[in-house]
Amino acid sequence: MSKKLINAIADMKEKEAVSIVEEMVKNGSSPMAILDAVREAMDIVGRRYEKGIYFLPELILAGEMMKKINGIIKPEMEAAAPKGGRGKILMGTIKGDIHNIGKDIVTFMLEAHGFEVLDLGVDVPFEKFTEAIRDFKPNVVGLSGFLTLAFDAMKETITAIKNAGLRDNVKIMIGGGQIDEKVKTYTAADAFGKDAMAAVTLAKNWIGG
Amino acid sequence: MKIIGEKINGTRQRVKSAISARNAVFLQDLARKQAEAGASWLDINAGTLPEREPEDMVWLVETVQEAVDIPLCLDSTNPAALEAGIRAAKLTPMINSISGEASRLEEILPLAAGAGCPVIALAMDHIQIPETCGERFAIVQKVVSATRSSGIPDQQIYIDPLVMALSTNIESVNVFIETLKAVRAEYPDIHFTAGLSNISFGLPARSYINRTFLTLAMVAGLDTAIMDPLDRELQAAILTTQLVLGRDDYCLNFTQAYRDGVFSDR
């Protein structure tokens, strides 16, 4: 069953994947087994994307399938063990910028690699980041931004985190179309990444796993 | 159909390096090539940190107009950079861009009106691109009433109905064309533009998507595009579409382009 589920997700067969999950739940499969299969399938999808076999729409559809499946097994999960054995990551596109594609890809890849990710969405005000650091207690914060105005917004977001006394609790990585070493220094982030895999590597190095 | 050449954009890595190294030769070559390929304007985007942008914009304008004698299209949301760019420009530049966002209208419209600049206006306000034609049309109405009251004639306005990536929104072109037609019906004198390459972001075989979109948009009334003038396939698509739409008397532009080797023969 798991194998069939992995293949259905990896081969973009949404209806089939959903009905397999429903059947697995009915037959008493553990939600963890289903999640493991989803994770493995996501890994395959991610690798196909990196190799240029899959493209952005497949990535988005895979994300949709993951959301749907999560919805189906959520009731079963409530009682189950906490997920995210590899630590917690807070993601968001900074204030004044609404580019979500890059951020969504990074979020997707981080989840596929077993991190628990809270995505605050786009155009996220500074105080929303500081609040979420207090409540969600992430190990890593990822700031995304595509526009040049992102440089200042990232700098100000990181300053706000510092002023809230939370800077030492988190590692901060930034990314986006025009982010480089200079921008990293300007914003006082800990690191920048060129692509989604760089975010995974950074997170693994910081958190372990 | 007129082309706004997109290549001098500091968000592209090589251009960014050339701007920070003050590599005039590279950028002037880029300007010349685009002008020779038939661009009517050259988009100029410094893409640098805000405090450096006015200085970089002036240097870019001066550098590019040493090489070409076509007008520039100053691409920035930073009023200080735009003002400096307008002052440095020999020919009246186009402004890219205003939107329905109040602060941008207040800060940028007076600059454009004062210098008699054509203006690109995006069919969005604040920073969120509206999903539906209705919302976009409402923003365009707001923008046009602002441009009219600041004394800019409709002929100087270039509406960008906004094209999102098909990879993330499959209805993107339908909404674009619906918006364009609605604006055209209401404001017959207004022009249109679009950032062409965005449509195919995240997909393979992008050139096919760009060409087909351009053709459909031209049928609907798109009359300028922000694109790469050196893209021969796109140029061929424009020539062919104009021919098929009956906008090429005696097919002269088409046959001349053929003689110039624009179309690869099988």
Side-chain angles (χ1 to χ4, degrees):
Chain A
M1 267 319 238
S2 280
K3 193 80 203 122
K4 265 173 72 183
L5 177 58
I6 291 167
N7 289 340
I9 298 171
D11 297 339
M12 298 292 129
K13 294 180 177 137
E14 185 179 17
K15 281 199 186 84
E16 199 179 310
V18 169
S19 69
I20 294 172
V21 169
E22 282 165 345
E23 202 177 332
M24 284 172 86
V25 169
K26 228 178 25 222
N27 297 340
S29 296
S30 83
M32 281 325 281
I34 294 171
L35 272 185
D36 281 343
V38 171
R39 192 165 294 165
E40 198 171 324
M42 288 302 185
D43 248 355
I44 296 170
V45 173
R47 277 201 300 276
R48 287 182 186 171
Y49 176 75
E50 277 167 46
K51 283 192 192 132
I53 299 166
Y54 277 173
F55 300 95
L56 195 53
E58 282 99 345
L59 220 48
I60 293 170
L61 176 54
E64 295 290 323
M65 286 193 259
M66 191 164 72
K67 274 193 203 122
K68 260 198 183 142
I69 294 169
N70 278 344
I72 298 169
I73 60 176
K74 209 177 171 99
E76 327 288 321
M77 285 293 296
E78 307 286 76
K83 55 177 174 130
R86 283 217 190 104
K88 299 203 279 189
I89 299 171
L90 181 67
M91 286 290 302
T93 298
I94 39 77
K95 191 177 158 149
D97 195 332
I98 48 135
H99 287 89
N100 61 341
I101 297 175
K103 167 186 65 65
D104 290 352
I105 296 172
V106 171
T107 299
F108 169 84
M109 291 295 256
L110 288 167
E111 282 177 340
H113 283 81
F115 294 102
E116 184 181 351
V117 184
L118 174 64
D119 179 358
L120 296 178
V122 298
D123 190 19
V124 181
F126 314 141
E127 59 277 11
K128 211 168 148 189
F129 275 111
T130 52
E131 258 168 57
I133 293 172
R134 278 201 191 94
D135 300 340
F136 178 61
K137 301 190 173 47
N139 316 82
V140 175
V141 177
L143 304 179
S144 173
F146 184 75
L147 305 167
T148 30
L149 60 81
F151 306 163
D152 282 333
M154 282 179 181
K155 186 181 182 168
E156 287 167 42
T157 304
I158 293 171
T159 305
I161 293 170
K162 198 169 150 187
N163 293 346
L166 300 165
R167 184 64 183 90
D168 295 341
N169 306 7
V170 289
K171 287 286 190 188
I172 299 178
M173 58 186 179
I174 59 173
Q178 306 163 57
I179 305 294
D180 57 16
E181 190 63 38
K182 240 196 257 167
V183 179
K184 189 209 90 175
T185 309
Y186 178 77
T187 60
D190 294 307
F192 80 96
K194 272 278 159 238
D195 54 37
M197 262 330 281
V200 173
T201 309
L202 284 169
K204 279 186 177 173
N205 289 343
W206 282 332
I207 300 174
Chain B
M1 183 71 192
K2 291 183 172 168
I3 296 169
I4 302 165
E6 71 180 12
K7 289 185 98 73
I8 300 173
N9 190 323
T11 62
R12 300 169 62 222
Q13 207 47 53
R14 286 191 64 189
V15 173
K16 189 179 186 168
S17 312
I19 294 170
S20 61
R22 292 292 186 256
N23 180 350
V25 175
F26 172 80
L27 293 161
Q28 289 177 335
D29 181 55
L30 215 48
R32 243 179 251 116
K33 278 192 182 128
Q34 291 185 94
E36 280 161 14
S40 296
W41 295 270
L42 295 185
D43 193 75
I44 303 290
N45 182 325
T48 38
L49 295 168
E51 65 266 25
R52 290 210 41 159
E53 203 185 352
E55 186 192 329
D56 285 340
M57 180 66 96
V58 169
W59 180 79
L60 265 176
V61 167
E62 286 170 350
T63 302
V64 169
Q65 64 191 11
E66 272 172 29
V68 297
D69 52 8
I70 56 172
L72 307 178
C73 175
L74 308 178
D75 182 355
S76 172
T77 52
N78 176 344
L82 287 171
E83 195 171 1
I86 291 169
R87 251 186 284 121
K90 277 194 290 210
L91 302 167
T92 306
M94 186 185 264
I95 302 288
N96 183 9
S97 58
I98 57 169
S99 67
E101 203 183 340
S103 64
R104 259 160 100 176
L105 288 172
E106 283 157 26
E107 291 165 342
I108 297 173
L109 264 191
L111 291 175
C117 301
V119 185
I120 293 175
L122 312 180
M124 61 189 277
D125 54 11
H126 191 49
I127 47 168
Q128 199 84 35
I129 295 179
E131 287 282 330
T132 65
C133 162
E135 293 167 288
R136 292 185 195 184
F137 183 67
I139 293 168
V140 171
Q141 286 180 302
K142 183 171 107 179
V143 171
V144 175
S145 87
T147 54
R148 283 177 173 179
S149 31
S150 65
I152 304 174
D154 287 4
Q155 290 87 338
Q156 293 274 72
I157 306 296
Y158 292 73
I159 300 289
D160 184 345
L162 297 172
V163 56
M164 329 252 294
L166 281 167
S167 54
T168 58
N169 181 351
I170 200 67
E171 288 298 327
S172 173
V173 174
N174 295 330
V175 175
F176 176 95
I177 286 177
E178 200 189 338
T179 306
L180 192 152
K181 284 180 170 166
V183 174
R184 199 178 169 202
E186 179 85 11
Y187 306 107
D189 291 336
I190 232 161
H191 295 282
F192 294 95
T193 196
L196 211 56
S197 51
N198 205 19
I199 188 76
S200 54
F201 178 84
L203 287 167
R206 292 183 66 171
S207 164
Y208 287 88
I209 303 167
N210 296 347
R211 274 182 270 168
T212 302
F213 167 61
L214 180 63
T215 302
L216 291 171
M218 280 172 69
V219 175
L222 184 75
D223 54 358
T224 74
I226 303 168
M227 59 174 253
D228 177 1
L230 306 179
D231 183 331
R232 292 179 86 86
E233 279 106 357
L234 269 182
Q235 290 276 18
I238 291 174
L239 285 156
T240 312
T241 306
Q242 309 223 97
L243 170 81
V244 171
L245 290 175
R247 299 175 193 164
D248 184 5
D249 286 346
Y250 299 95
C251 316
L252 288 180
N253 293 332
F254 187 87
T255 52
Q256 186 55 51
Y258 177 79
R259 286 187 286 274
D260 292 342
V262 170
F263 306 98
S264 55
D265 237 347
R266 291 177 197 288

